[in-house]
């Protein structure tokens, strides 16, 4: 047996010995908690305008037309899309901590300054401010993926990745639940002051306690660091000698990989369905069913709250299946992704046939249509890291760019189909379209999705000076 084979076998045995071993709660859990808090404050700052604009409308100078409101609310997302793809390479080059901290700290300061800017420049300045906020928040998801891939061992991805990403649901719940109280106590500016101040406090905490990788942490114990590194070692190829941030990014390989293309498709499909639900269904329920859920803070927060709870249930079930080894990791990911896509698909169609006299049933269906989608947190949402721990942030940025384009397209598509808000037949066409997109996206993921680390994850060190085209030709041979 060769020396290289002996070393590989030894490492595999050692990896198995540590696979189910835990150091208890450690610094990696603190990093995930900080990411949870980052997504909480990030989404609180994202949705604060949606709730504040209602309180602002009580003042004549802010009683804008629907066209202006649409421009103001959409400006954030136009900025958000622009930094999705650059965010991944930036996080790999400078570290996920740097990009997350830079993005959210700047966004927090801008949020605190929002009331002043609105008073000085009206809706035009507010649009510009929100666009800039979107640019900096665009760094968040790809950078979070980069940090998670560095800190979380493979066997903990489903639970810890899920915990980090439910922060966006929690932030939305908190903002929807407290906005009315904040506006009544301090006026509409207090909504921005509170969310911006929370972001500033988080920035201070992350500056002192956050770290991009275990190697950069001064608080991690040797045992915990070894546990993480052994887990990651099992996913690296023998000839990967360079630190991951020095490796050439195999851009062409991403777009030639069926697994990555399937991931783009399923994330885009989920985004179209999710944002159709959240932005258009309230209009359907008000105009067709006579149920104004936006006027009730509890009803507005209910789908998010249920989604928050169910996400932990699905993550626990996924972890149990993984520990018992009764199904493969691929089957596990695709099972929960199918629940998160096909469940809303069926319930969305059913929602279109609920009579106006059964508005309570409609609220229940809407709640679970949104909430069951949280099963996808244990499906496609962490699959980027499965495919490529080194380039997970970049792949997430690519997928999220396409997904957010679909999010922007959703209200435009609905507006083209629904010309009469009271016409239930037109709304059913929307529901069937969204259901069909859910189905196709999930089917592509089930057929072409993979959970094994892809060959281009670890470009060999000797190819560092080669061109990208030469590197990818080498990978294919």
């Amino acid at each position: 047996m060769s020396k290289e084979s002996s070393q590989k076998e030894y490492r595999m045995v050692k990896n198995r010995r540590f696979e189910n071993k835990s150091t208890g709660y450690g610094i990696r859990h603190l990093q995930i908690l900080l990411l949870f808090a980052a997504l909480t404050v990030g989404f609180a700052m994202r949705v604060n305008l949606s709730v504040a604009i209602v309180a602002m409308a009580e003042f004549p100078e802010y009683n804008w037309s629907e066209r202006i409101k649409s421009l103001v609310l959409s400006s954030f997302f136009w900025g958000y899309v622009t930094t999705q793809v650059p965010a991944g390479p930036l996080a790999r080059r400078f570290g996920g901590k740097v990009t997350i901290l830079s993005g959210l700290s700047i966004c927090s300061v801008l949020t605190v300054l929002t009331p002043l800017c609105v008073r000085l420049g009206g809706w035009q300045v507010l649009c510009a401010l929100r666009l800039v906020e979107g640019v900096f928040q665009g760094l968040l998801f790809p950078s979070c993926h980069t940090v998670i891939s560095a800190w979380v061992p493979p066997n903990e991805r489903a639970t810890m990745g899920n915990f980090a990403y439910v922060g966006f649901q929690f932030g939305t719940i908190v903002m929807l639940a407290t906005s009315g109280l904040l506006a009544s106590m301090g006026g509409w500016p207090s909504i921005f002051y509170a969310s911006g101040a929370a972001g500033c406090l988080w920035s201070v905490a992350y500056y002192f306690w956050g770290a991009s990788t275990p190697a950069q942490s001064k608080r991690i114990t040797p045992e915990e660091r070894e546990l993480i590194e052994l887990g990651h070692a099992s996913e690296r190829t023998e000839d990967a000698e360079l630190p991951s941030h020095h490796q050439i990014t195999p851009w062409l390989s991403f777009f030639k990989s069926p697994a990555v293309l399937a991931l783009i498709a399923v994330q885009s499909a989920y985004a179209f369905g999710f944002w159709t639900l959240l932005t258009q269904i309230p209009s359907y329920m008000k105009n067709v069913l006579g149920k104004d859920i936006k006027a009730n803070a509890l009803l507005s927060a209910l789908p998010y709250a249920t989604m928050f709870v169910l996400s932990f249930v699905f993550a626990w079930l996924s972890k149990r299946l993984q520990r018992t080894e009764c199904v493969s990791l691929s089957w596990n990911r695709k099972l929960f992704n199918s629940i998160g896509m096909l469940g809303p698909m069926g319930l969305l169609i059913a929602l279109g046939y609920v009579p106006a006299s059964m508005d309570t049933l409609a609220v229940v269906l809407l709640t679970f249509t949104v909430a069951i989608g949280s099963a996808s947190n244990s499906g496609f949402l962490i699959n980027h890291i499965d495919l490529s721990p080194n380039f997970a942030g970049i792949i997430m940025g690519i997928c999220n760019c396409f997904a957010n384009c679909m999010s922007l397209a959703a209200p435009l598509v609905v507006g083209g189909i629904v010309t009469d808000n009271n016409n239930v037949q037109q709304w059913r066409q929307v529901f069937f379209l969204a259901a069909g997109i859910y189905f196709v996206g999930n089917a592509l993921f089930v057929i072409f999705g993979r959970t094994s680390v892809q060959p281009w994850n670890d470009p060999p060190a000797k190819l560092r000076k080669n061109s990208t085209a030469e590197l990818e030709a080498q990978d294919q041979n």
Side-chain angles (χ1 to χ4, degrees):
M1 181 181 293
S2 66
K3 181 179 178 180
E4 291 78 6
S5 298
S6 298
Q7 290 175 342
K8 184 176 181 180
E9 182 177 352
Y10 168 76
R11 190 168 66 202
M12 290 174 66
V13 171
K14 196 173 183 182
N15 287 345
R16 286 195 295 267
R17 179 164 59 87
F18 275 84
E19 186 177 10
N20 293 319
K21 185 175 180 179
S22 174
T23 58
Y25 290 101
I27 298 302
R28 69 188 187 279
H29 297 92
L30 173 62
Q31 301 305 313
I32 296 301
L33 179 61
L34 289 168
L35 292 183
F36 167 84
L39 287 159
T40 297
V41 298
F43 269 75
M45 290 186 287
R46 181 185 297 197
V47 304
N48 57 11
L49 183 60
S50 299
V51 292
I53 204 167
V54 177
M56 293 170 69
E58 297 177 4
F59 299 87
E61 62 269 31
Y62 305 127
N63 189 18
W64 299 317
S65 66
E66 290 301 319
R67 174 182 167 274
I68 291 177
K69 288 180 182 178
S70 298
L71 286 173
V72 169
L73 291 171
S74 64
S75 57
F76 177 96
F77 296 97
W78 291 110
Y80 185 77
V81 170
T82 61
T83 46
Q84 290 301 310
V85 175
L90 288 172
R92 291 185 70 245
R93 179 66 183 86
F94 299 104
K97 175 183 176 178
V98 173
T99 48
I100 295 173
L101 186 60
S102 300
L104 280 189
S105 59
I106 293 172
C107 191
S108 300
V109 173
L110 293 176
T111 300
V112 173
L113 294 175
T114 297
L116 176 63
C117 293
V118 173
R119 291 190 184 102
L120 294 177
W123 67 267
Q124 294 92 341
V125 173
L126 179 58
C127 271
L129 190 73
R130 292 290 291 183
L131 187 143
V132 175
E133 286 185 28
V135 168
F136 284 102
Q137 275 216 33
L139 302 172
L140 189 54
F141 270 88
S143 301
C144 282
H145 248 43
T146 301
V147 173
I148 291 172
S149 67
W151 274 97
V152 179
N155 63 326
E156 295 180 346
R157 276 180 193 151
T159 50
M160 295 181 71
N162 175 77
F163 182 79
Y165 282 114
V166 295
F168 85 82
Q169 298 152 17
F170 189 68
T172 305
I173 294 167
V174 171
M175 199 73 260
L176 290 175
T178 62
S179 58
L181 179 63
L182 289 170
S184 63
M185 293 177 60
W188 65 264
S190 63
I191 297 175
F192 296 101
Y193 295 147
S195 54
C200 291
L201 290 174
W202 173 88
S203 299
V204 173
Y206 197 57
Y207 177 81
F208 287 107
W209 294 331
S212 297
T213 65
Q216 296 177 10
S217 174
K218 298 178 181 179
R219 296 177 173 83
I220 192 170
T221 63
E223 292 80 11
E224 184 179 13
R225 181 171 174 176
E226 184 179 14
L227 176 72
I228 296 170
E229 289 178 348
L230 284 172
H232 292 165
S234 64
E235 297 182 319
R236 297 185 67 84
T237 57
E238 289 295 312
D239 54 358
E241 301 171 4
L242 290 176
S244 60
H245 66 277
H246 286 156
Q247 293 170 347
I248 299 172
T249 302
W251 292 100
L252 186 57
S253 292
F254 296 157
F255 292 99
K256 292 175 68 175
S257 168
V260 174
L261 295 177
L263 198 50
I264 293 173
V266 70
Q267 193 162 337
S268 299
Y270 179 86
F272 183 89
F274 185 76
W275 286 102
T276 297
L277 282 169
L278 296 187
T279 62
Q280 303 302 316
I281 294 301
S283 176
Y284 166 77
M285 296 189 71
K286 179 180 180 180
N287 292 289
V288 177
L289 301 181
K291 189 77 171 180
D292 189 0
I293 62 172
K294 281 191 173 182
N296 188 313
L298 178 61
L299 287 180
S300 297
L302 184 60
Y304 292 102
T306 309
M307 189 179 193
F308 179 77
V309 173
L310 281 184
S311 65
F312 290 102
V313 175
F314 290 128
W316 178 82
L317 289 173
S318 176
K319 183 68 173 179
R320 291 291 297 175
L321 288 175
Q322 189 174 346
R323 281 182 174 175
T324 56
E325 298 182 350
C326 58
V327 297
S328 66
L329 180 61
S330 178
W331 199 92
N332 190 317
R333 294 278 191 267
K334 293 173 182 179
L335 169 65
F336 285 96
N337 199 80
S338 296
I339 294 172
M341 300 286 281
L342 300 184
M345 180 191 77
L347 293 174
L348 190 58
I349 294 174
L351 184 63
Y353 290 89
V354 174
S357 60
M358 302 179 68
D359 57 344
T360 302
L361 175 61
V363 172
V364 172
L365 286 176
L366 172 61
T367 299
F368 281 97
T369 302
V370 174
I372 291 175
S374 63
S376 297
N377 288 6
S378 299
F380 78 83
L381 190 57
I382 52 175
N383 187 235
H384 317 73
I385 307 176
D386 294 329
L387 297 178
S388 177
N390 287 337
F391 301 107
I394 296 178
I395 298 173
M396 165 56 92
I398 294 170
C399 294
N400 218 24
C401 182
F402 282 96
N404 277 277
C405 289
M406 291 292 284
S407 301
L408 290 168
L412 300 177
V413 172
V414 173
I417 297 174
V418 180
T419 55
D420 178 6
N421 284 331
N422 298 307
N423 189 321
V424 68
Q425 297 298 329
Q426 292 180 356
W427 280 106
R428 285 173 184 168
Q429 292 178 38
V430 172
F431 298 158
F432 276 103
L433 174 63
I437 291 175
Y438 267 132
F439 180 82
V440 172
N442 185 70
L444 291 172
F445 183 71
V446 169
I447 296 170
F448 298 107
R450 298 291 182 269
T451 54
S452 57
V453 176
Q454 298 301 291
W456 36 260
N457 176 65
D458 287 307
K462 62 184 179 181
L463 297 178
R464 179 181 179 183
K465 296 183 180 180
N466 288 6
S467 66
T468 302
E470 291 171 340
L471 175 60
E472 291 168 352
Q474 176 82 12
D475 289 340
Q476 294 170 1
N477 292 332

